[in-house]
Amino acid sequence: MADSTASAEPQPAHPADRPVYVIGAGPGGLAVARALRARGLRAVVLERADHVGDSWRRHYDRLRLHTTRRLSALPGLAMPRRFGRWVSRDDVVRYLEKYVEYHQLEIVTGVEVFRVERASGGGWLLHASGGRELTGSAVVVATGFNHTPRVPDWPGRDTYTGEFRHAAEYRDAAPYAGRDVLVVGVGNTGAEIAVDLVEGGASRVRLAVRTAPHIVRRSTAGWAAQYTGVLCRRLPVALVDRLARPLARISVPDLSAQGLPRPGTGLYSRVAEGAIPVQDVGLIDAVRGGRVEVVAAVDGFEDGKILLADGTRLAPDAVIAATGYRRGLEGLVGDLGVLDGRGRPVARGGDTPPDAPGLYFTGFTNPISGMLRELAIDAERIAKAVTKREAGRVSRLPG
């Protein structure tokens, strides 16, 4: 694994001597680099942190994949059986490090790319830290789905002096033992943090919910929810919605009395809107047992208290906002016309935006079939597209 910045120095101007630059050394970027290398093309991965898998290293301690080990491996290297069915955060990091070593990927750490623009004569020019200007035949943006923590613009938030942090800063429950904590947001992260706080000894845990989520069992009688997600990927949305309703009634108890009614919108319709179901890793039991109290959504902050949508005013010891992330692509590629109104790439995988041939994106969706599985598929599609469209302009590996 290359850790020096030598590989990131400006490349020779001849178009055939330009590598493919991959921005981001997470699972998506590494998978693309390996797929390109397998086709004899040179790929240089640029990572702003000092090591690969940086976002995974910063996740909370109890995190385990909600997807199975077998369907979470990247192309060309299986995950070891000793990792178990639901792989831990630390084992994901170990796997990514091994992946780089096994496939001899060219990684340059400590280099942040600030802007991508078209290069004169074709290809792409990357403006990076240290004054670097790098020219690549193609660029793959793999900076990650969870890039920039998002906090809603709540009224009074800027004057709130109580303890407040985004879920990105949460590691474990130890600092909250014996304390009253409000978790805001009931996606998978918020649900897991709430359960972690209960198990870690918080005196009171409340979960602020604006829209009740669909909740599914991670596994039922050995059948992983991911398997169903894979099967549903090509089915009509309305059909999946109809099939999911009776299954939910059978597998998930009605939590209406505890503040989590069954959603009125179909499961797959919500997925199409970007809302992935919450996989149960203890939330159902915690809510039924009253250990996690569901409260109304946060509407604002006033006089050191949190205002809820139902008029309730709370004064917890700490607030953890599990309110999601932004993709953070505006500064990088925002002036190229490749993002939609929500800041998401208009193309992904082997497709490129109509006005930006040679610019690829991976990892900016949150599919029901599993993020890592889709990253693996995207990697092969990107490598195939680059081989077909840009092969004559990409540096080839020796031998």
Side-chain angles (χ1 to χ4, degrees), residues 110-231:
V111 175
E112 182 173 4
V113 179
F114 301 118
R115 191 171 78 257
V116 176
E117 61 184 39
R118 293 176 179 85
S120 59
W124 295 93
L125 178 64
L126 285 67
H127 297 270
S129 55
R132 297 176 179 86
E133 292 187 350
L134 314 174
T135 305
S137 57
V139 171
V140 182
V141 180
T143 49
F145 189 83
N146 295 342
H147 185 273
T148 305
R150 184 184 71 86
V151 176
D153 188 19
W154 287 304
R157 166 68 189 90
D158 55 344
T159 61
Y160 181 69
T161 57
E163 183 176 334
F164 180 98
R165 65 184 58 196
H166 190 273
E169 301 176 76
Y170 180 89
R171 295 295 173 268
D172 59 54
Y176 304 95
R179 304 177 71 195
D180 178 350
V181 187
L182 174 67
V183 180
V184 184
V186 70
N188 279 293
T189 297
E192 286 203 37
I193 288 176
V195 172
D196 196 42
L197 289 166
V198 167
E199 295 177 353
S203 63
R204 186 176 190 180
V205 178
R206 285 174 285 197
L207 184 60
V209 177
R210 185 170 299 279
T211 304
H214 285 275
I215 302 175
V216 299
R217 301 285 189 182
R218 185 168 64 177
S219 179
T220 303
W223 178 265
Q226 183 187 13
Y227 298 159
T228 303
V230 171
L231 294 175

Side-chain angles (χ1 to χ4, degrees), residues 287-325:
V287 170
R288 291 179 78 183
R291 293 175 294 147
V292 170
E293 305 169 47
V294 178
V295 299
V298 171
D299 265 4
F301 294 74
E302 186 177 285
D303 298 329
K305 294 186 177 182
I306 292 87
L307 308 180
L308 302 185
D310 62 1
T312 303
R313 299 165 67 89
L314 304 179
D317 297 322
V319 179
I320 299 172
T323 47
Y325 295 80

